[in-house]
mmCIF file with all atom_site columns, all heavy atoms in Angstrom:
data_model
loop_
_atom_site.group_PDB
_atom_site.id
_atom_site.type_symbol
_atom_site.label_atom_id
_atom_site.label_alt_id
_atom_site.label_comp_id
_atom_site.label_asym_id
_atom_site.label_entity_id
_atom_site.label_seq_id
_atom_site.pdbx_PDB_ins_code
_atom_site.Cartn_x
_atom_site.Cartn_y
_atom_site.Cartn_z
_atom_site.occupancy
_atom_site.B_iso_or_equiv
_atom_site.pdbx_formal_charge
_atom_site.auth_seq_id
_atom_site.auth_comp_id
_atom_site.auth_asym_id
_atom_site.auth_atom_id
_atom_site.pdbx_PDB_model_num
ATOM 1  N N   . MET A 1 192 ? -27.719 -43.685 -30.498 1.00 93.00 ? 192 MET A N   1
ATOM 2  C CA  . MET A 1 192 ? -28.541 -44.100 -31.692 1.00 93.00 ? 192 MET A CA  1
ATOM 3  C C   . MET A 1 192 ? -28.322 -43.064 -32.830 1.00 93.00 ? 192 MET A C   1
ATOM 4  O O   . MET A 1 192 ? -28.255 -43.472 -34.019 1.00 93.00 ? 192 MET A O   1
ATOM 5  C CB  . MET A 1 192 ? -30.021 -44.129 -31.320 1.00 93.00 ? 192 MET A CB  1
ATOM 6  C CG  . MET A 1 192 ? -30.362 -45.198 -30.255 1.00 93.00 ? 192 MET A CG  1
ATOM 7  S SD  . MET A 1 192 ? -29.809 -46.862 -30.633 1.00 93.00 ? 192 MET A SD  1
ATOM 8  C CE  . MET A 1 192 ? -28.263 -46.975 -29.624 1.00 93.00 ? 192 MET A CE  1
ATOM 9  N N   . LYS A 1 193 ? -28.129 -41.795 -32.469 1.00 93.00 ? 193 LYS A N   1
ATOM 10 C CA  . LYS A 1 193 ? -27.827 -40.849 -33.510 1.00 93.00 ? 193 LYS A CA  1
ATOM 11 C C   . LYS A 1 193 ? -26.475 -41.127 -34.116 1.00 93.00 ? 193 LYS A C   1
ATOM 12 O O   . LYS A 1 193 ? -26.235 -41.050 -35.330 1.00 93.00 ? 193 LYS A O   1
ATOM 13 C CB  . LYS A 1 193 ? -27.802 -39.373 -32.878 1.00 93.00 ? 193 LYS A CB  1
ATOM 14 C CG  . LYS A 1 193 ? -27.342 -38.301 -33.848 1.00 93.00 ? 193 LYS A CG  1
ATOM 15 C CD  . LYS A 1 193 ? -28.291 -38.112 -35.059 1.00 93.00 ? 193 LYS A CD  1
ATOM 16 C CE  . LYS A 1 193 ? -27.766 -37.001 -36.037 1.00 93.00 ? 193 LYS A CE  1
ATOM 17 N NZ  . LYS A 1 193 ? -27.657 -35.693 -35.480 1.00 93.00 ? 193 LYS A NZ  1
ATOM 18 N N   . VAL A 1 243 ? -32.900 -47.561 -28.541 1.00 88.00 ? 243 VAL A N   1
ATOM 19 C CA  . VAL A 1 243 ? -34.110 -46.790 -28.205 1.00 88.00 ? 243 VAL A CA  1
ATOM 20 C C   . VAL A 1 243 ? -34.622 -46.088 -29.463 1.00 88.00 ? 243 VAL A C   1
ATOM 21 O O   . VAL A 1 243 ? -33.864 -45.832 -30.404 1.00 88.00 ? 243 VAL A O   1
ATOM 22 C CB  . VAL A 1 243 ? -33.845 -45.805 -27.112 1.00 88.00 ? 243 VAL A CB  1
ATOM 23 C CG1 . VAL A 1 243 ? -33.405 -46.464 -25.801 1.00 88.00 ? 243 VAL A CG1 1
ATOM 24 C CG2 . VAL A 1 243 ? -32.750 -44.784 -27.508 1.00 88.00 ? 243 VAL A CG2 1
ATOM 25 N N   . PRO A 1 244 ? -35.902 -45.780 -29.498 1.00 81.00 ? 244 PRO A N   1
ATOM 26 C CA  . PRO A 1 244 ? -36.466 -45.071 -30.679 1.00 81.00 ? 244 PRO A CA  1
ATOM 27 C C   . PRO A 1 244 ? -35.926 -43.667 -30.806 1.00 81.00 ? 244 PRO A C   1
ATOM 28 O O   . PRO A 1 244 ? -35.879 -42.892 -29.796 1.00 81.00 ? 244 PRO A O   1
ATOM 29 C CB  . PRO A 1 244 ? -37.999 -45.086 -30.414 1.00 81.00 ? 244 PRO A CB  1
ATOM 30 C CG  . PRO A 1 244 ? -38.198 -46.065 -29.318 1.00 81.00 ? 244 PRO A CG  1
ATOM 31 C CD  . PRO A 1 244 ? -36.941 -46.064 -28.513 1.00 81.00 ? 244 PRO A CD  1
ATOM 32 N N   . ILE A 1 245 ? -35.523 -43.251 -31.997 1.00 82.00 ? 245 ILE A N   1
ATOM 33 C CA  . ILE A 1 245 ? -35.247 -41.855 -32.297 1.00 82.00 ? 245 ILE A CA  1
ATOM 34 C C   . ILE A 1 245 ? -35.805 -41.618 -33.720 1.00 82.00 ? 245 ILE A C   1
ATOM 35 O O   . ILE A 1 245 ? -36.090 -42.500 -34.495 1.00 82.00 ? 245 ILE A O   1
ATOM 36 C CB  . ILE A 1 245 ? -33.780 -41.443 -32.229 1.00 82.00 ? 245 ILE A CB  1
ATOM 37 C CG1 . ILE A 1 245 ? -32.960 -42.215 -33.268 1.00 82.00 ? 245 ILE A CG1 1
ATOM 38 C CG2 . ILE A 1 245 ? -33.270 -41.663 -30.802 1.00 82.00 ? 245 ILE A CG2 1
ATOM 39 C CD1 . ILE A 1 245 ? -31.536 -41.708 -33.402 1.00 82.00 ? 245 ILE A CD1 1
ATOM 40 N N   . PHE A 1 246 ? -35.905 -40.294 -34.089 1.00 77.00 ? 246 PHE A N   1
ATOM 41 C CA  . PHE A 1 246 ? -36.342 -39.905 -35.415 1.00 77.00 ? 246 PHE A CA  1
ATOM 42 C C   . PHE A 1 246 ? -37.718 -40.459 -35.789 1.00 77.00 ? 246 PHE A C   1
ATOM 43 O O   . PHE A 1 246 ? -38.078 -40.607 -36.927 1.00 77.00 ? 246 PHE A O   1
ATOM 44 C CB  . PHE A 1 246 ? -35.380 -40.329 -36.511 1.00 77.00 ? 246 PHE A CB  1
ATOM 45 C CG  . PHE A 1 246 ? -33.983 -39.868 -36.305 1.00 77.00 ? 246 PHE A CG  1
ATOM 46 C CD1 . PHE A 1 246 ? -32.965 -40.428 -37.094 1.00 77.00 ? 246 PHE A CD1 1
ATOM 47 C CD2 . PHE A 1 246 ? -33.691 -38.861 -35.434 1.00 77.00 ? 246 PHE A CD2 1
ATOM 48 C CE1 . PHE A 1 246 ? -31.651 -39.995 -36.931 1.00 77.00 ? 246 PHE A CE1 1
ATOM 49 C CE2 . PHE A 1 246 ? -32.362 -38.425 -35.273 1.00 77.00 ? 246 PHE A CE2 1
ATOM 50 C CZ  . PHE A 1 246 ? -31.361 -38.995 -36.009 1.00 77.00 ? 246 PHE A CZ  1
ATOM 51 N N   . GLY A 1 247 ? -38.551 -40.810 -34.728 1.00 71.00 ? 247 GLY A N   1
ATOM 52 C CA  . GLY A 1 247 ? -39.849 -41.321 -35.014 1.00 71.00 ? 247 GLY A CA  1
ATOM 53 C C   . GLY A 1 247 ? -39.887 -42.813 -35.273 1.00 71.00 ? 247 GLY A C   1
ATOM 54 O O   . GLY A 1 247 ? -40.950 -43.418 -35.596 1.00 71.00 ? 247 GLY A O   1
ATOM 55 N N   . LEU A 1 248 ? -38.767 -43.492 -35.189 1.00 72.00 ? 248 LEU A N   1
ATOM 56 C CA  . LEU A 1 248 ? -38.703 -44.963 -35.373 1.00 72.00 ? 248 LEU A CA  1
ATOM 57 C C   . LEU A 1 248 ? -39.527 -45.656 -34.268 1.00 72.00 ? 248 LEU A C   1
ATOM 58 O O   . LEU A 1 248 ? -39.276 -45.400 -33.056 1.00 72.00 ? 248 LEU A O   1
ATOM 59 C CB  . LEU A 1 248 ? -37.295 -45.473 -35.323 1.00 72.00 ? 248 LEU A CB  1
ATOM 60 C CG  . LEU A 1 248 ? -37.036 -46.923 -35.709 1.00 72.00 ? 248 LEU A CG  1
ATOM 61 C CD1 . LEU A 1 248 ? -37.350 -47.132 -37.216 1.00 72.00 ? 248 LEU A CD1 1
ATOM 62 C CD2 . LEU A 1 248 ? -35.615 -47.298 -35.429 1.00 72.00 ? 248 LEU A CD2 1
#
Side-chain angles (χ1 to χ4, degrees):
M192 298 307 99
K193 174 66 182 297
V243 297
I245 64 169
F246 304 166
L248 188 68

